[in-house]
Amino acid sequence: MEELLMKLAADARMQRAVAMVTLDNGLHLFAYPLEQGMLIAVGGAADTQVRADEVVGRRARDMVRYGAWLPAMFNDGSLYVLRRMVEHGDDMTVLPDEAIEAAEELLGD
């Protein structure tokens, strides 16, 4: 997953646009280039079963595990959790697989 995320981030940076993939579980993973760093999001379409209040509740119950992920609902009703990856010169902080797993748990049924 780390390699996929770094490739996605590199594609987003090169294209100066959002880069997105659909994961095996149906969730979307996207990278959005910022002036400094990258915004990473995991989530799904508006027709997913999870509700925003459930995500916020899960996050509040375990801030150590989930606190870095910020819930966001887009205009179309899709629900994502967002997090920044920070750049250090030409290097970018790599989110470990556990971070993506935590995002998936937040959005789980």
Side-chain angles (χ1 to χ4, degrees):
M1 184 69 74
E2 291 175 23
E3 289 179 26
L4 173 62
L5 182 55
M6 293 310 293
K7 181 186 179 322
L8 197 63
D11 289 349
R13 176 70 63 215
M14 188 182 323
Q15 299 295 323
R16 295 184 182 165
V18 173
M20 184 181 341
V21 297
T22 301
L23 303 174
D24 291 339
N25 60 10
L27 291 175
H28 302 282
L29 173 65
F30 78 73
Y32 178 79
L34 303 171
E35 186 137 343
Q36 291 293 315
M38 188 76 51
L39 185 65
I40 302 301
V42 178
D47 62 352
T48 60
Q49 300 299 318
V50 67
R51 296 185 352 228
D53 60 337
E54 294 170 343
V55 172
V56 171
R58 284 182 194 135
R59 183 176 181 265
R61 285 189 293 278
D62 192 349
M63 289 298 284
V64 171
R65 178 152 175 83
Y66 304 125
W69 290 102
L70 304 174
M73 182 174 281
F74 294 163
N75 286 341
D76 66 358
S78 58
L79 183 62
Y80 286 81
V81 289
L82 314 171
R83 184 173 176 166
R84 279 188 73 181
M85 285 191 346
V86 180
E87 287 178 315
H88 305 283
D90 290 336
D91 294 327
M92 190 170 304
T93 302
V94 176
L95 293 182
D97 288 343
E98 294 81 30
I100 302 299
E101 289 169 9
E104 292 172 332
E105 288 171 14
L106 270 172
L107 297 166
D109 296 328

